[in-house]
Amino acid sequence: MEYYQRIGGMNMSVKLIENAVGRMVPTEINGQKEIPYMGVGKFIPKKRKYNSYISTNAEFPADGNKKVKNLKEALQKAGLANGMRISTHHHFRDGDLLANMVFDIAHEMGVKDLIWFPSASFPCHEHLIPYLEDGTISRIEGSMNGPLGKYCSEGKMKGVAVLRSHGGRYQAIQDGEVHIDIAIIGAACADPFGNANGLNGKSASGLLGFALADSQFADKVIVATDNMVAFPCVPWQIQGNYVDFTVEMDQIGIPEKIVSGTTQITKSPDRLLIAELTARFCEEAGIIKDGFSFQAGAGGTSLAIGEFFCRIMKEKGIKARFARGGSNKYLVQMLEEGLVEYILDGQTFDLEGVRSMRENSNHVWTSPFTSYNYHSKGNFAGMVDVAILGATEVDVNFNANVVTHSDGYLLHGIGGWQNCLFSKTVILPIPLFRNRIPVVREEVTTICGPGELIDVIITERGIAINPLRKDLLKKLKESNLPIKSIHELKKEAEEICGIMEKCVLSDEIVAAIKWVDGTVIDVVRKVL
């Protein structure tokens, strides 16, 4: 099936075709040809990776000092001009100051139609909405959170937003789908040559892995720090050989605001029940065993699951080989108590995570390349025994949504969620309904992950196992756990909340959701 349609901000008709999950997606976005989602593992690229221009030492100071007087001069020397793609990273999360400063300077310089390519955005970036309105920024190609997502959902952005997972972002850069003109990397510590880390200094945020691809492939790279030290900055997470200019500033971020999620264990009886059921499921399914591995988030329910894991592991004398993070104080405590041998960390969710990463050699730095990049020779995701993830919606085919709500508003990013779906067992511990809106639905508003990769849905009123996981169904056949079908869960939600009408959206496409291989799995449409 195919048809033509105008899509957000483009004065042309674009062909839409049905992809492998039955969604109509465009074959062109923002003037660039796109490939519709073909199915898990079905798209096999046949080309070489992209790379940046060759540099020569003759163009750089022999003494290694690349320091310029301020950020504006660095942007000018990097050649900031209309239409460029500017990248930043989100290690400071809601405490990011640097991205806002970059576009303040661009606005002051009168530069227009910039494409912002963040690894994620946060509510603090509401500051940038006036620049979207006046044309300083034309569109955002990155996960959006809160006010920016709402702005995009209402069709106010000039171009079409493109959302990728953390691994998908690295894939897009290395494959040449995305060309970065200028990358700006905020580092808690750096030397004038450009070696940098996020571990030391007043703005310590932990890891700088989300900026790795930007440093490797951007035309120009700027490292900004509020803690410039004499060469060498050790350890270095970003290598100075990739860096064009360094800048010392008064403050680049607010480390207290790197905190993600609640970072406190939930006190909600329903959420605690979900956490307990999840831990019991993992125990009875034989997942929690000596040498197993796991990944969970930093929300209140996920933290509670971690605590239940701790109890089981202590009772049985079990030690995990590794935990994939986002690290937080609870995961750090497990490491320091010897319950976990290694944390393979992708980002730090609190300051205890930063401390541990700085002090403990078993708290290992990773990056989207090592952890999640699908166009590589394997990554860590498939080695994880169980990944515990969230979702805004799931449907009767186990497809799941993490970016939009049932009203169609785009309010969340993808993060590493899609990449974690390749773990050996994927569990979504979610409430059956939120604010009297069913979470288990006939069809999700936006498909971010295909149901074939999602194994178990755990709610406070029952557990649904994907029929594809016959092994789990067999193991849990005699269990006392409340095993139900996904259709039974949906029916129960509707009996409590009523049958929700599907939201009515415009035909106009405001954002595209990429799958981990760079194909288009779904789109987000303008909210009426």
Side-chain angles (χ1 to χ4, degrees), residues 184-383:
I184 299 96
I185 301 172
C189 186
D191 61 35
F193 182 63
N195 298 312
N197 69 54
L199 300 176
N200 304 308
K202 65 182 181 181
S203 297
S205 63
L207 196 61
L208 298 182
F210 291 116
L212 176 63
D214 309 54
S215 72
Q216 293 172 324
F217 294 102
D219 285 351
K220 300 292 181 182
V221 178
I222 299 167
V223 165
T225 185
D226 50 19
N227 180 31
M228 187 76 77
V229 299
F231 177 90
C233 169
V234 178
W236 51 63
Q237 297 169 335
I238 298 296
Q239 297 185 39
N241 305 67
Y242 290 125
V243 177
D244 294 88
F245 307 104
T246 57
V247 183
E248 186 170 17
M249 304 174 65
D250 292 334
Q251 187 176 18
I252 57 171
I254 305 170
E256 292 78 14
K257 291 188 176 182
I258 72 169
V259 171
S260 173
T262 64
T263 70
Q264 298 296 326
I265 292 173
T266 182
K267 295 180 180 179
S268 161
D270 283 350
R271 302 302 193 270
L272 285 171
L273 177 57
I274 293 170
E276 183 180 4
L277 288 172
T278 302
R280 284 179 57 197
F281 181 93
C282 291
E283 181 181 18
E284 294 192 29
I287 293 170
I288 301 177
K289 59 186 178 182
D290 206 44
F292 84 111
S293 56
F294 66 93
Q295 178 160 1
T301 304
S302 294
L303 295 177
I305 292 167
E307 281 295 284
F308 282 114
F309 272 26
C310 273
R311 294 179 195 177
I312 295 168
M313 292 166 71
K314 287 178 179 178
E315 286 172 5
K316 296 190 169 184
I318 288 170
K319 179 186 290 188
R321 177 61 174 169
F322 68 89
R324 277 283 299 136
S327 64
N328 54 64
K329 60 184 179 183
Y330 299 101
L331 196 56
V332 167
Q333 185 176 347
M334 292 180 76
L335 177 68
E336 293 177 345
E337 289 181 0
L339 292 173
V340 172
E341 290 187 62
Y342 296 93
I343 298 175
L344 305 183
D345 204 343
Q347 59 182 308
T348 42
F349 287 140
D350 63 21
L351 298 182
E352 270 296 280
V354 177
R355 177 196 63 78
S356 174
M357 184 177 286
R358 184 168 56 239
E359 297 175 359
N360 194 330
S361 61
N362 281 27
H363 193 145
V364 182
W365 315 338
T366 70
S367 73
F369 174 75
T370 54
S371 306
Y372 292 150
N373 179 21
Y374 197 67
H375 287 171
S376 63
K377 297 179 180 181
N379 61 48
F380 295 165
M383 303 179 195

Side-chain angles (χ1 to χ4, degrees), residues 3-17 24-37 139 141 159-162 164 509-514 518-520 522-523:
Y3 64 88
Y4 287 79
Q5 180 183 308
R6 292 183 182 275
I7 69 174
M10 299 179 68
N11 294 317
M12 59 182 293
S13 291
V14 172
K15 183 169 74 172
L16 273 64
I17 67 173
M24 301 302 297
V25 298
T27 54
E28 185 176 327
I29 299 172
N30 298 317
Q32 184 169 313
K33 299 292 183 183
E34 300 290 350
I35 300 170
Y37 173 71
R139 68 177 185 270
E141 291 188 9
V160 176
V162 181
R164 299 175 173 90
I509 294 169
V510 297
I513 311 299
K514 291 293 192 84
T519 59
V520 183
D522 209 348
V523 295

